[in-house]
Amino acid sequence: ALVEALNRWQSTFDAMQESLSILGTDFKILQCNRAMQEFIKKPEKEIIGRHCWELVHGTDAPLETCPCPKVIRTRTRASSVITMDERCFEVTVDPQLDDEGNIVAFIHIMSDITEHKRAEAGSQRAHKTLLTVLDSIDATIYVTDMETHEILFMNRHMKETFNGDYTGQICWEAFYGYDGPCESCNRDQLLNRDGTPSGVCVWEGQDPLKQRWYVHYDRAIKWL
């Protein structure tokens, strides 16, 4: 019945870019889409009835990172990230249950996330470079979450000036000793109506804890 139902959806499966397979309870492939055939470089008739790990990894048993055993234990979706031929894939497995809750098949999907991972790594490198630059500046620089007021970053000079790292604390408590947002808080002025940064906001104020006067340059930014 499961295979008959899947046959009616074959055209939909074949339109997917992700490599999709239907596995039996023995992890042998019952059905696969065109993307999976192209990935394995074999026709469907040479794929059906064989274990997924044999075709995908060339092994005689599941990899340690294979999500299938976890799905059997939890009866819920499981996923893992694997690397093959310098490309990165997210493997997601969903159990298919009968009316009694028994597993009758698995939906196995492989998504190529190589470009996403490369972009993520590039962003992380850029973020690390930014932190290095901020730590080299002899000015007090900190970043707070615009919604929660939580301190996300303090540069080296600010940590030395305030004798500590207050990351994770609320800015108006850590820097000013207040029990609520500062009257001078200009959070609402930092974004345009469409949610984009409006530019720098400059203001002058005294820190009641340090008794020092500062010129503040506030702006909204994207923070990883």
Side-chain angles (χ1 to χ4, degrees):
L2 176 63
V3 174
E4 292 177 2
L6 291 173
N7 285 335
R8 294 194 294 269
W9 287 93
Q10 187 65 50
S11 59
T12 301
F13 292 152
D14 283 340
M16 296 176 61
Q17 294 182 345
E18 294 82 2
S19 300
L20 182 146
S21 302
I22 310 301
L23 311 180
T25 53
D26 57 0
F27 301 118
K28 290 183 178 180
I29 299 174
L30 302 175
Q31 189 170 359
C32 65
N33 69 346
R34 184 176 293 112
M36 187 66 171
Q37 297 171 45
E38 293 174 352
F39 176 77
I40 296 177
K41 297 181 174 141
K42 292 183 181 295
E44 185 177 29
K45 64 181 181 180
E46 296 182 21
I47 296 175
I48 303 303
R50 299 175 67 179
H51 288 115
C52 57
W53 55 77
E54 174 191 354
L55 295 169
V56 175
H57 307 294
T59 61
D60 56 5
L63 299 182
E64 291 185 2
T65 55
C66 178
C68 289
K70 183 177 181 181
V71 174
I72 293 178
R73 295 193 305 272
T74 64
R75 296 177 180 272
T76 59
R77 172 181 292 186
S79 62
S80 65
V81 175
I82 62 174
T83 301
M84 295 186 297
D85 298 327
E86 298 184 350
R87 299 200 69 80
C88 195
F89 296 87
E90 181 178 39
V91 180
T92 302
V93 178
D94 284 280
Q96 298 299 292
L97 309 176
D98 62 16
D99 294 339
E100 285 74 41
N102 300 310
I103 298 177
V104 296
F106 301 93
I107 308 296
H108 182 286
I109 300 176
M110 295 181 61
S111 304
D112 190 332
I113 58 172
T114 306
E115 297 307 319
H116 171 74
K117 285 294 184 181
R118 287 174 179 169
E120 186 179 72
S123 295
Q124 291 175 348
R125 287 194 297 271
H127 187 69
K128 185 176 181 179
T129 299
L130 172 63
L131 299 187
T132 301
V133 171
L134 295 180
D135 274 336
S136 69
I137 299 175
D138 288 332
T140 53
I141 302 173
Y142 69 99
V143 179
T144 61
D145 186 286
M146 292 184 63
E147 296 297 327
T148 66
H149 299 275
E150 177 186 349
I151 301 169
L152 304 177
F153 170 79
M154 293 172 59
N155 75 335
R156 175 193 53 78
H157 185 77
M158 188 162 196
K159 292 174 186 177
E160 293 173 352
T161 300
F162 283 80
N163 299 317
D165 184 358
Y166 303 147
T167 300
Q169 299 185 38
I170 304 302
C171 59
W172 35 264
E173 291 178 345
F175 298 143
Y176 301 103
Y178 295 157
D179 56 6
C182 309
E183 293 183 2
S184 58
C185 183
N186 53 28
R187 181 186 63 173
D188 296 336
Q189 303 174 36
L190 299 179
L191 296 176
N192 295 318
R193 291 184 178 180
D194 61 0
T196 59
S198 60
V200 65
C201 183
V202 183
W203 58 283
E204 187 177 283
Q206 185 181 30
D207 180 351
L209 296 181
K210 297 291 183 179
Q211 299 299 314
R212 294 178 178 176
W213 285 87
Y214 292 94
V215 176
H216 297 255
Y217 297 86
D218 297 340
R219 66 169 65 242
I221 62 171
K222 182 178 180 180
W223 190 256
L224 297 179

